[in-house]
Amino acid sequence: MTDYYPWIIFNVFVIVLLIFDLYISKGKIYKFKSALIWSLSWISISMVVALWFFIEDGSLLSNNERGVSFLAGYIAEKALCFDNLFVFIIIFEFFQIPAKLQSLALTYGIMGALITRAIFIALGSIILSNFGWVLLVMGIFLIYTGIKIALVKEGDSNPENNIFYRISNKFISISSEFDGSKFRTNINGVKKFTPMFLVVIVLASTDIVFAIDSIPTIFGITQDVFIVWTSNMMAVIGMRPLYFLLQEIKNQFRYLKYGLSLILVFIGFKMSIEYLGEIIGPLINSEYITHFHINTYISLGTIVGIITASILLSNIIKEKNGPKNIK
């Protein structure tokens, strides 16, 4: 029988955190110091969840497959959240969202990220439990995505290139100015949608894109659905202060996308060779190939090493032309 208590306890915990986050952050614009403190606080809470898995496994120092899997998954998903937030910054700058509305727009983006990830995790677990070969498809997809991320240019994230933005702009009457947090406004007796409506549409589409990248990544690290769920939720919670922090120091993470690219390629390669080993091993009568598996500790070390190196390079190598502002 499935033990539902961990699911119930964790989901109640997440709901409390979300309510708390919404309460303390309502309309709040984080300054650098408070954004840093709150970002570290949310990461610390995630480490409490990691500690839960380590204690649950019965030892803090050895045989902690679930604890290590959570950490590896959490760090990988947090890196994807960073990339997600960089796109949020571009979107907000493009639409010139007033500072007082940015927190609300972030709420839409974060809730969208939580919902899309929940849907894709559910679909992913069902599909993998019935069609094991999908692991190979996910692995190849991650390798492709990793290469694509490394090659993508900053301008490619411009909302003007978003298909939902173009369709909405073409078929819906949009006002030129915001009307507070309203989605619709009245201009000279004519009802029009506001730019906030377009912002939500674009955010929702980016949340879907990042969920498509995110879920194969975590399933490449572990197929324990509870670990997949917890690491995703804890990575997404706390994105709000992190957004304001990245606004101030985004140039210090400018090589992070290349690190993320390597992580996706590594996980995609891991998924692919482990699945192919199960097929090829019996054909050539090789137990080693059949049961080949990249240790979770190696995965965690690789992910941490790549992210650390990309951040260090971002701070060591100077920009040639200085930071660019997107209009």
Side-chain angles (χ1 to χ4, degrees):
M1 181 179 289
T2 303
D3 187 359
Y4 292 105
Y5 288 110
W7 285 88
I8 294 171
I9 292 169
F10 178 76
N11 288 329
V12 170
F13 177 63
V14 166
I15 290 170
V16 170
L17 290 179
L18 287 172
I19 293 172
F20 176 74
D21 180 39
L22 289 172
Y23 175 76
I24 64 168
S25 302
K26 189 176 181 180
K28 183 175 182 179
I29 301 171
Y30 289 87
K31 300 298 183 184
F32 176 80
K33 185 177 180 180
S34 60
L36 177 60
I37 291 172
W38 275 109
S39 294
L40 293 175
S41 298
W42 287 116
I43 291 173
S44 298
I45 293 172
S46 298
M47 292 305 99
V48 171
V49 177
L51 182 62
W52 175 29
F53 283 113
F54 277 97
I55 293 174
E56 182 190 48
D57 277 354
S59 171
L60 290 175
L61 299 176
S62 62
N63 300 319
N64 283 292
E65 187 72 22
R66 298 189 86 206
V68 175
S69 294
F70 173 84
L71 283 176
Y74 171 77
I75 294 169
E77 293 300 321
K78 201 68 177 178
L80 280 163
C81 284
F82 269 73
D83 204 33
N84 207 156
L85 288 173
F86 283 128
V87 175
F88 280 11
I89 290 172
I90 292 171
I91 292 170
F92 289 4
E93 289 179 350
F94 175 83
F95 284 103
Q96 297 182 334
I97 299 178
K100 62 181 180 180
L101 294 178
Q102 287 189 12
S103 185
L104 176 62
L106 279 170
T107 298
Y108 291 129
I110 293 168
M111 295 307 296
L114 288 168
I115 292 168
T116 52
R117 278 164 170 76
I119 293 171
F120 278 90
I121 288 171
L123 289 174
S125 63
I126 293 170
I127 292 171
L128 287 175
S129 63
N130 291 282
F131 307 101
W133 53 265
V134 173
L135 276 173
L136 180 60
V137 176
M138 285 185 173
I140 295 171
F141 172 76
L142 285 179
I143 293 171
Y144 164 77
T145 303
I147 295 171
K148 183 179 177 182
I149 286 175
L151 299 177
V152 72
K153 297 178 181 178
E154 192 176 75
D156 294 338
S157 299
N158 193 310
E160 285 185 327
N161 299 322
N162 185 290
I163 187 170
F164 295 101
Y165 170 83
R166 286 185 287 176
I167 291 173
S168 300
N169 236 353
K170 185 174 182 179
F171 296 103
I172 298 175
S173 180
I174 309 290
S175 66
S176 59
E177 295 182 1
F178 287 85
D179 186 4
S181 60
K182 294 179 182 179
F183 287 168
R184 297 198 75 185
T185 187
N186 193 317
I187 299 177
N188 298 324
V190 178
K191 285 283 188 179
K192 291 187 174 185
F193 285 94
T194 67
M196 181 60 83
F197 173 77
L198 268 183
V199 169
V200 173
I201 294 294
V202 175
L203 287 175
S205 66
T206 58
D207 282 332
I208 292 171
V209 170
F210 278 101
I212 292 172
D213 293 340
S214 169
I215 303 311
T217 302
I218 186 62
F219 273 115
I221 295 170
T222 177
Q223 292 176 50
D224 184 325
V225 180
F226 189 56
I227 300 293
V228 171
W229 175 253
T230 52
S231 59
N232 257 272
M233 294 303 103
M234 295 313 299
V236 173
I237 291 175
M239 283 176 68
R240 191 191 313 274
L242 189 58
Y243 165 82
F244 289 99
L245 181 64
L246 285 179
Q247 276 189 316
E248 301 289 335
I249 59 173
K250 60 184 179 182
N251 290 323
Q252 296 176 31
F253 292 87
R254 65 186 186 279
Y255 289 128
L256 184 62
K257 78 167 188 174
Y258 298 108
L260 180 58
S261 169
L262 283 174
I263 289 171
L264 295 184
V265 170
F266 166 73
I267 295 174
F269 177 74
K270 174 182 180 294
M271 293 176 76
S272 301
I273 61 172
E274 287 178 355
Y275 177 78
L276 289 174
E278 294 178 2
I279 297 175
I280 298 171
L283 295 177
I284 61 175
N285 197 26
S286 172
E287 283 291 319
Y288 174 76
I289 294 177
T290 300
H291 300 290
F292 178 79
H293 174 70
I294 295 178
N295 190 283
T296 309
Y297 288 88
I298 294 176
S299 297
L300 175 61
T302 302
I303 292 168
V304 171
I306 291 173
I307 291 175
T308 302
S310 64
I311 293 173
L312 286 174
L313 286 174
S314 299
N315 287 272
I316 293 171
I317 301 175
K318 295 181 180 179
E319 285 188 281
K320 294 181 179 180
N321 300 316
K324 297 179 181 178
N325 293 319
I326 298 175
K327 298 294 184 182

